[in-house]
Amino acid sequence: MIRLVALAAGLASLGALALPALVHADDQDVIDYREHIMKTMGAQADAIELILQHKLPSDDDSNIAAHTKALALAASTAKAAFAMNVAGGQAKPNVWTDSAGFNKRMDELASNTDALAKAAETGGVEAVASRIQSALTCKGCHDQYREQKKK
Ligand code: HEC
């Protein structure tokens, strides 16, 4: 609490920052935050997919390690982003009523993507190609814990 107050005071001295939002995250902020993390993972997974499908003009695959690392980093932040019990977005209520199951999947994703990033560092595109399907458990969780898109 003391650190938060000090932080708020520090930011106040910077000028017109939206302090109330920082001190009191409202529900939409909590939902937006976890959705940003998911979108980051989606963007990285899409970038990796394009490299794996050789759809880019150059066959330079040197970015694959960076993309898998970014994916792993984002995945490492995802579990905590859902820890606050704020229903909404496309999250189903069982994210919180079955938090043990949900968190287990989040832990799995974090360790899978971490291993994927390490494999990419040494094995490059080939190592990623052979592991990606089993590493990305995205759909299994979405099927169970995420509402179908209504659009
Ligand atoms: C443990 C469960 C779980 C795993 C694993 C998971 N997701 Fe999600 N994902 C969710 C939930 C729940 C939502 C809905 C969040 C919300 O709207 O509040 C979501 C939403 C999303 C969205 C939509 C975000 C938006 O606002 O449009 C994308 C994109 C996404 N996930 C990508 C991924 C990718 C890519 C992976 C795998 C690398 C992944 N997710 C792994 C549970 C998971």
Side-chain angles (χ1 to χ4, degrees):
M1 200 55 198
I2 290 168
R3 269 172 49 202
L4 200 62
V5 170
L7 178 70
L11 287 174
S13 70
L14 288 176
L17 278 169
L19 270 182
L22 233 193
V23 176
H24 271 301
D26 72 20
D27 287 359
Q28 192 56 50
D29 291 330
V30 173
I31 294 167
D32 287 349
Y33 176 68
R34 68 193 185 217
E35 289 185 345
H36 284 311
I37 291 170
M38 284 290 160
K39 283 177 187 158
T40 300
M41 293 201 294
Q44 294 304 324
D46 288 349
I48 292 165
E49 201 57 39
L50 287 174
I51 294 175
L52 294 183
Q53 292 171 356
H54 306 288
K55 285 195 172 160
L56 304 178
S58 114
D59 255 355
D60 180 8
D61 57 18
S62 58
N63 279 349
I64 196 107
H67 289 301
T68 51
K69 213 178 276 177
L71 177 61
L73 254 186
S76 76
T77 67
K79 183 168 87 171
F82 283 89
M84 262 204 269
N85 186 345
V86 175
Q90 297 164 34
K92 285 188 185 169
N94 63 349
V95 167
W96 298 280
T97 56
D98 174 30
S99 60
F102 185 81
N103 286 336
K104 186 165 166 275
R105 285 176 182 272
M106 280 301 191
D107 289 339
E108 265 167 23
L109 183 72
S111 70
N112 285 353
T113 50
D114 186 54
L116 189 68
K118 286 187 174 120
E121 234 164 54
T122 50
V125 167
E126 265 177 50
V128 174
S130 65
R131 285 173 173 80
I132 189 127
Q133 268 208 319
S134 58
L136 298 196
T137 51
C138 322
K139 188 177 181 301
C141 185
H142 290 166
D143 287 347
Q144 232 179 303
Y145 296 95
R146 179 190 177 193
E147 306 280 2
Q148 302 285 348
K149 274 214 162 164
K150 279 154 203 150
K151 282 175 234 165

